[in-house]
């Protein structure tokens, strides 16, 4: 519903790698290297182009670490180019991770089960580390959004320095795909409800990191006939219905698997407020009256049109800020649809 456009840069990748490998036994790192080696060997047999892509990422990290090692455990240990494969794996680009997942899906059950057992070390590392050492809080902060990207109904910002309000959803679940348990782009800051309802769903879903994620998903409303701006808010709440739909089938799977449409019906009061504001705002006479209160020549408030809409609707109405506030997409989609909406 809310895309995550942020892609981590090299310094952020180094920071993430440093946190993941702090206080980790050398034996665990060796287990991870062995597991990655086994997987890449399987990939090289069936998909040489994909194998070359991940090897290209490993080469980047060999060069990076040969120039500047990564300090862990407050400088006690250093990650050298010998560990380039492990570093490249956990920060691989989102698109490469997705292609790796699709290839792994095509493996035989025997091969997949063998890989699962070998990558159990990654799953255990996540379970024992991320919350304890604050890596989850770092990810929440780094994504740059403050709401659950799946539903836009809950805040996910870090409430204190000790606790994160968000949980981390493994987009490719760590039970079946432990090889992605530590991969940065597989970890989605989400609310408790979306994370637990989605759980280990086997449906094909859309990640907030996907290219043009949720661009084709729209939230709309319908009202019972003869409902206009003169109808009391309470009555409008009873007359309104909220619909959410995408032209992309996998995005609709998100809605179904996480019961998002049902959850939105609990916010009919807010939806009715937005619709009533739109009806009033779209009336030329009332719009002029409302605008004059903020843009009176005798009172110079220096307010822009964008600021005026944000103050009037009580939410961000521009696409760039939709990750800052809950129910932002509802307000924005409602407003953007009004030109052709039958009131």
């Amino acid at each position: 519903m809310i895309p995550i456009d942020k892609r981590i840069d090299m310094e952020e990748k180094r920071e993430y790698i440093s946190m993941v490998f702090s206080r980790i036994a050398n034996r665990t790192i060796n287990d991870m290297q062995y597991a990655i080696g086994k997987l890449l060997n399987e990939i090289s047999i069936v998909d040489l182009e994909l194998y070359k892509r991940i090897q290209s990422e490993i080469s980047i990290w060999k060069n990076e670490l040969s120039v500047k090692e990564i300090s862990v455990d407050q400088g006690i240990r250093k990650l050298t180019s010998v560990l380039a494969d492990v570093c490249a794996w956990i920060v691989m680009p989102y698109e490469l991770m997705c292609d790796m997942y699709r290839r792994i899906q095509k493996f035989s059950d025997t091969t997949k089960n063998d890989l699962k057992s070998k990558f159990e070390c990654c799953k255990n590392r996540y379970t024992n580390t991320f919350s304890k050492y604050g890596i989850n809080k770092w990810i929440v902060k780094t994504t740059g959004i403050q709401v659950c990207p799946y539903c836009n109904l809950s805040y996910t910002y870090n409430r204190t320095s000790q606790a994160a309000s968000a949980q981390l959803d493994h987009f490719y679940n760590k039970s079946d795909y432990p090889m992605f348990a530590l991969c940065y782009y597989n970890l989605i800051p989400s609310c408790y409800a979306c994370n637990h309802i989605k759980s280990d769903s086997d449906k094909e879903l859309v990640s907030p990191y996907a290219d043009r994620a949720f661009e084709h998903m729209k939230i709309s409303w319908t009202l019972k006939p003869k409902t206009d701006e003169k109808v009391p808010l309470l009555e409008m709440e009873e007359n309104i219905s909220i619909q959410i739909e995408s032209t992309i089938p996998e995005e609709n799977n998100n809605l179904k698997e996480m019961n998002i449409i049902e959850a939105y019906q609990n916010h009919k009061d807010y939806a009715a407020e937005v619709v009533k504001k739109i009806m009033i705002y779209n009336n030329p006479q009332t719009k002029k009256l409302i605008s004059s209160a903020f843009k009176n020549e005798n009172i110079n408030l220096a307010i822009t049109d964008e600021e005026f809409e944000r103050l009037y609707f009580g939410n961000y109405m521009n696409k760039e800020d939709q990750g800052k506030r809950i129910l932002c997409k509802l307000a924005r989609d409602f407003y953007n649809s009004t030109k052709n909406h039958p009131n």
Side-chain angles (χ1 to χ4, degrees), residues 31-55:
D31 289 343
M32 291 175 64
Q33 278 194 302
Y34 177 72
I36 292 169
K38 292 292 288 185
L39 173 55
L40 295 186
N41 183 60
E42 295 288 344
I43 295 290
S44 68
I45 297 171
V46 296
D47 195 330
L48 187 58
E49 286 304 311
L50 183 59
Y51 176 76
K52 288 180 179 178
R53 286 169 62 194
I54 188 63
Q55 286 297 335

Side-chain angles (χ1 to χ4, degrees), residues 172-269:
Y172 300 130
N173 74 77
K174 61 182 182 294
S175 298
D176 296 322
Y177 302 97
M179 62 282 297
F180 301 119
L182 300 174
C183 292
Y184 176 85
Y185 290 110
N186 193 44
L187 302 171
I188 313 296
S190 60
C191 67
Y192 175 89
C194 286
N195 186 30
H196 284 264
I197 295 173
K198 172 182 174 289
S199 190
D200 292 347
S201 172
D202 58 358
K203 294 285 187 180
E204 189 170 354
L205 307 175
V206 173
S207 167
Y209 280 114
D211 182 43
R212 301 175 67 184
F214 314 124
E215 190 173 290
H216 300 280
M217 183 181 290
K218 301 299 179 187
I219 306 177
S220 60
W221 84 89
T222 55
L223 288 168
K224 290 181 180 179
K226 298 182 180 180
T227 303
D228 57 25
E229 67 269 24
K230 297 178 182 178
V231 172
L233 262 178
L234 187 59
E235 185 177 338
M236 188 174 284
E237 289 175 31
E238 297 170 351
N239 292 347
I240 197 169
S241 178
I242 304 170
Q243 290 90 40
I244 313 175
E245 191 173 12
S246 174
T247 56
I248 307 298
E250 294 79 9
E251 292 185 357
N252 286 323
N253 287 343
N254 282 37
L255 300 173
K256 294 174 184 176
E257 288 297 296
M258 289 174 261
N259 295 333
I260 291 172
I261 297 175
E262 292 85 347
Y264 265 75
Q265 305 313 312
N266 294 306
H267 297 276
K268 288 185 176 182
D269 58 340

Side-chain angles (χ1 to χ4, degrees), residues 106-230:
K106 297 178 182 178
F107 287 160
S108 68
D109 289 342
T110 300
T111 300
K112 284 192 285 190
N113 288 332
D114 181 51
L115 289 171
K116 279 173 63 176
S117 65
K118 287 180 170 57
F119 275 98
E120 195 70 16
C121 56
C122 291
K123 178 181 173 182
N124 293 337
R125 181 60 178 166
Y126 173 83
T127 303
N128 298 329
T129 303
F130 272 58
S131 178
K132 184 177 180 180
Y133 298 126
I135 304 175
N136 56 342
K137 292 183 293 181
W138 184 88
I139 291 176
V140 170
K141 181 180 179 181
T142 302
T143 58
I145 67 170
Q146 302 186 74
V147 298
C148 176
Y150 288 128
C151 67
N152 193 210
L153 292 176
S154 299
Y155 285 107
T156 55
Y157 53 72
N158 295 322
R159 187 169 296 182
T160 70
S161 59
Q162 288 77 35
S165 299
Q167 299 193 343
L168 292 181
D169 168 58
H170 285 77
F171 185 73
Y172 300 130
N173 74 77
K174 61 182 182 294
S175 298
D176 296 322
Y177 302 97
M179 62 282 297
F180 301 119
L182 300 174
C183 292
Y184 176 85
Y185 290 110
N186 193 44
L187 302 171
I188 313 296
S190 60
C191 67
Y192 175 89
C194 286
N195 186 30
H196 284 264
I197 295 173
K198 172 182 174 289
S199 190
D200 292 347
S201 172
D202 58 358
K203 294 285 187 180
E204 189 170 354
L205 307 175
V206 173
S207 167
Y209 280 114
D211 182 43
R212 301 175 67 184
F214 314 124
E215 190 173 290
H216 300 280
M217 183 181 290
K218 301 299 179 187
I219 306 177
S220 60
W221 84 89
T222 55
L223 288 168
K224 290 181 180 179
K226 298 182 180 180
T227 303
D228 57 25
E229 67 269 24
K230 297 178 182 178

